[in-house]
Amino acid sequence: MSYPGYPPSGGYPAFPGYPPTGQESVYPPAGQYSYPPVPGGYPPAGGGGTYPAAPPSAGYAGAAGYPAPGGYPGAPQAGGMPPYSGGPGFGVPPAGPGFGGYPQPPAQSYAGGGPAQMPVGYPSGQAPSPMPGQPAAMVQCTQGTIQAAPNFDAGRDAEILRKAMKGFGTDEQAIINVVANRSNDQRQKIKAAFKTMYGKDLIKDLKSELSGNVEELILALFMPSTYYDAWSLRHAMKGVGTQERVLIEILCTRTNQEIREIVNCYKSEFGRDIEQDIRADTSGHFERLLISMCQGNRDENQTVDYQKAQEDAQRLYQAGEGKLGTDESCFNMVLASRSFPQLKATVEAYSRIANRDLLSSIDREFSGNVERGLKAILQCALNRPAFFAERLYYSMKGAGTDDSTLIRIIVTRSEIDLVQIKQMFSQMYQKTLATMIASDTSGDYRRLLLAIVGQ
């Protein structure tokens, strides 16, 4: 597999033996790496639909949108929903970068519980199909801001890019118009067409015309999705120091299929074993958590076993709050192996047992990177778009901008759930993602980011 022109100069590390020689090919196939939906759905605020209100005993201030006990088959019959430690309702942003509670999205109705509504802005008649073995009623509607362009012509786009870079000066707007409105699969076809038509490497031409953050952003958009994740992990562990938050962001949020493909790509492209690199760069319980994540063996059964959730909640309580000291391996076992829907039920059961939510307990029992990793897993189980919205917010909050995080999340979520991330961002921080990007960036970099997020 060949990815000509990578890595770029000026910020992209040089990997031995890269780029590999061989035949240019399109990798990965379009649409192959979507997230499996989690029950609960996220119709954003204003998305319509009828949702039963939380029972008075729920303990979740002002959080309309929970199904009432017994409101769907197999739901807990008593005890209400777990308390929310992050604040009363959607509008309160979490406190600090490692907050103990998440705004819970209104739950889509389950089979027999009323009509399931798609979020605002979801294309009419384009609801996602269930995963194999997944009940149709449990499909979560997610949507990227970038869709495959209709009437796509790779040769025509290659010609537009060639003209934009030919002669003196560069027509950056023409480049933005193409790359921000094509899917990743279509961009791979544009690269191949460019080489066929002009005998030149598109990535090398782009690198010679661009610089800085806009160069990094455009080259990230032209990387195949799996390669970009593998490259980001390699970059996070290469050289002095380790970017642990990058490891958490990728390994703790991807699906089994995505993780296995990332691990294989890491080996084939960089000639390295990712587990060995993790062991060399991390240690202790954080190392064990990441190694568990690398296996890509999380249970993906979408059916919730409430008895197991109760047992797991009791086990976690006894391993943490209910004893002196902490049994870290118990937390690792449950959070690394249970499906995200199952973990969501475990969080609810834990609140009834401990009179405290599980995220807060992890705050009290753990610290450092293992705390951040465990919380990332739970936050994705509860509300994945909110997890990425928080990461985006803190990449721009305060002095300076963490451009690599901003670019990585915008690029990797642009075809998956960036619409929902934008909506959660507005609800959590009372400002739009586009507004914060516009105030924190400038020039062609700002224009391209805003084009990707749909502004």
Side-chain angles (χ1 to χ4, degrees):
M1 203 69 66
S2 178
Y3 305 103
Y6 293 122
S9 58
Y12 279 61
F15 301 121
Y18 185 80
T21 57
Q23 183 180 358
E24 171 95 357
S25 63
V26 178
Y27 169 73
Q32 186 173 336
Y33 304 118
S34 301
Y35 273 84
V38 251
Y42 314 113
T50 302
Y51 304 97
S57 61
Y60 181 90
Y66 277 109
Y72 54 87
Q77 297 300 308
M81 303 305 288
Y84 168 55
S85 65
F90 279 117
V92 179
F99 52 87
Y102 245 138
Q104 291 283 356
Q108 280 188 300
S109 300
Y110 284 67
Q117 300 291 324
M118 286 189 291
V120 168
Y122 203 91
S124 176
Q126 294 186 32
S129 301
M131 296 284 285
Q134 180 182 2
M138 298 178 73
V139 173
Q140 165 204 342
C141 296
T142 55
Q143 181 189 359
T145 54
I146 293 181
Q147 311 288 329
N151 305 315
F152 171 67
D153 184 332
R156 181 181 59 202
D157 286 346
E159 186 175 1
I160 292 170
L161 294 178
R162 173 67 173 148
K163 287 180 179 178
M165 295 183 286
K166 190 176 181 181
F168 293 104
T170 304
D171 185 351
E172 288 88 354
Q173 190 59 52
I175 297 173
I176 290 171
N177 291 342
V178 171
V179 300
N181 294 287
R182 304 293 184 270
S183 68
N184 189 279
D185 179 61
Q186 289 175 333
R187 293 185 210 113
Q188 306 313 311
K189 292 174 180 174
I190 294 170
K191 280 198 303 187
F194 193 93
K195 182 171 285 188
T196 299
M197 293 167 66
Y198 304 111
K200 301 185 68 178
D201 187 277
L202 175 59
I203 301 305
K204 289 181 179 177
D205 278 11
L206 287 169
K207 285 170 62 178
S208 69
E209 298 289 333
L210 305 169
S211 63
N213 290 323
V214 72
E215 175 191 357
E216 182 176 347
L217 176 53
I218 286 181
L219 295 184
L221 286 164
F222 273 102
M223 289 187 191
S225 303
T226 300
Y227 177 86
Y228 185 39
D229 274 347
W231 178 87
S232 297
L233 291 171
R234 177 69 189 121
H235 186 46
M237 293 184 281
K238 188 176 187 290
V240 179
T242 304
Q243 299 172 38
E244 290 88 353
R245 290 179 185 269
V246 177
L247 305 182
I248 291 168
E249 178 195 307
I250 295 174
L251 293 175
C252 293
T253 66
R254 302 313 195 236
T255 67
N256 287 347
Q257 180 182 347
E258 288 170 325
I259 287 173
R260 290 168 188 162
E261 288 166 347
I262 290 166
V263 169
N264 290 336
C265 181
Y266 194 95
K267 180 72 171 178
S268 64
E269 295 303 322
F270 309 127
R272 303 180 68 91
D273 183 278
I274 194 169
E275 285 190 28
Q276 291 181 6
D277 281 356
I278 288 172
R279 293 186 196 280
D281 272 58
T282 62
S283 61
H285 297 293
F286 181 54
E287 172 197 323
R288 291 168 206 158
L289 179 64
L290 294 182
I291 295 297
S292 293
M293 294 296 99
C294 282
Q295 306 314 301
N297 283 330
R298 180 181 298 282
D299 180 14
E300 291 187 332
N301 183 355
Q302 300 296 295
T303 302
V304 174
D305 182 336
Y306 286 97
Q307 180 61 38
K308 180 186 283 187
Q310 184 74 17
E311 293 168 358
D312 282 347
Q314 186 66 45
R315 183 181 290 119
L316 292 172
Y317 179 74
Q318 294 299 331
E321 296 278 2
K323 65 174 288 188
L324 184 63
T326 306
D327 180 358
E328 293 88 354
S329 63
C330 178
F331 281 82
N332 193 103
M333 183 274 291
V334 173
L335 271 64
S337 62
R338 304 296 189 250
S339 71
F340 285 127
Q342 186 69 33
L343 285 177
K344 188 173 182 180
T346 301
V347 169
E348 295 167 2
Y350 187 91
S351 292
R352 294 190 290 272
I353 292 171
N355 203 26
R356 174 192 310 279
D357 70 48
L358 184 51
L359 284 164
S360 295
S361 290
I362 289 174
D363 260 337
R364 291 159 59 93
E365 298 293 323
F366 294 88
S367 63
N369 291 313
V370 68
E371 175 199 344
R372 284 188 281 270
L374 292 171
K375 288 169 69 174
I377 294 169
L378 283 183
Q379 288 161 351
C380 283
L382 295 171
N383 188 336
R384 193 189 307 267
F387 169 78
F388 286 110
E390 182 212 19
R391 290 278 288 151
L392 286 170
Y393 178 77
Y394 284 102
S395 75
M396 295 179 280
K397 184 178 184 292
T401 303
D402 181 356
D403 292 293
S404 291
T405 295
L406 176 60
I407 289 169
R408 188 175 56 254
I409 295 177
I410 293 294
V411 170
T412 58
R413 311 312 296 181
S414 62
E415 294 182 50
I416 299 171
D417 56 1
L418 192 50
V419 167
Q420 282 70 35
I421 291 169
K422 287 166 55 182
Q423 290 162 336
M424 288 308 306
F425 192 99
S426 297
Q427 291 172 19
M428 291 165 67
Y429 303 111
Q430 291 81 55
K431 65 176 72 175
T432 67
L433 176 58
T435 298
M436 199 161 183
I437 287 173
S439 65
D440 237 55
T441 61
S442 61
D444 295 321
Y445 179 46
R446 173 201 287 166
R447 281 192 287 275
L448 180 51
L449 284 171
L450 293 177
I452 296 169
V453 302
Q455 295 298 125

